[in-house]
Amino acid sequence: QVQLVESGGDSVQFGGSLRLSCAAAGSLSGVFVMGWYRQAPGKQREFVASMTTGGTKNYVDSVKGRFTISGDIAKRTISLQMSSLKAEDTAVYYCHAVARTWPQNTEYWGQGNQVTVSS
């Protein structure tokens, strides 16, 4: 069974930095995109950042210039470097992967990691 194992969540003060990491455990092939989503209390889960096997990286506008996604999709590992953290970045962060499977792609989710930013 495939699992996305996350690490790095913590509490940090406003303006601080954190690094989240994610690695796939178990047999997982055909992955072509990995990324991060987050869910704040009382809000829907939202896209944060992603990267593809082709190297394309995307970010939600609210984190551009502050967060950097990196990793090696072939090795099924990614990281999210978060800087200049704000209170509104407080959320549970989820690692996400999409694999090409038939007849439709398969999505995988990590267990979630709490990030708390205090002022």
Side-chain angles (χ1 to χ4, degrees), residues 71-94:
D72 186 339
I73 293 183
K75 296 182 179 179
R76 304 183 302 280
T77 61
I78 58 168
S79 294
L80 185 69
Q81 179 66 45
M82 304 182 291
S83 302
S84 302
L85 284 162
K86 306 175 182 179
E88 51 262 44
D89 294 318
T90 294
V92 177
Y93 285 70
Y94 296 90

Side-chain angles (χ1 to χ4, degrees), residues 26-77:
S27 176
L28 178 57
S29 61
V31 175
F32 64 96
V33 61
M34 293 185 72
W36 297 91
Y37 283 71
R38 66 186 179 186
Q39 187 166 18
K43 296 187 177 181
Q44 290 188 330
R45 190 173 298 188
E46 67 168 353
F47 167 81
V48 177
S50 67
M51 62 182 295
T52 69
T53 51
T56 300
K57 298 180 180 181
N58 289 296
Y59 300 91
V60 66
D61 285 347
S62 61
V63 308
K64 286 180 180 178
R66 301 189 298 121
F67 290 13
T68 302
I69 189 170
S70 61
D72 186 339
I73 293 183
K75 296 182 179 179
R76 304 183 302 280
T77 61

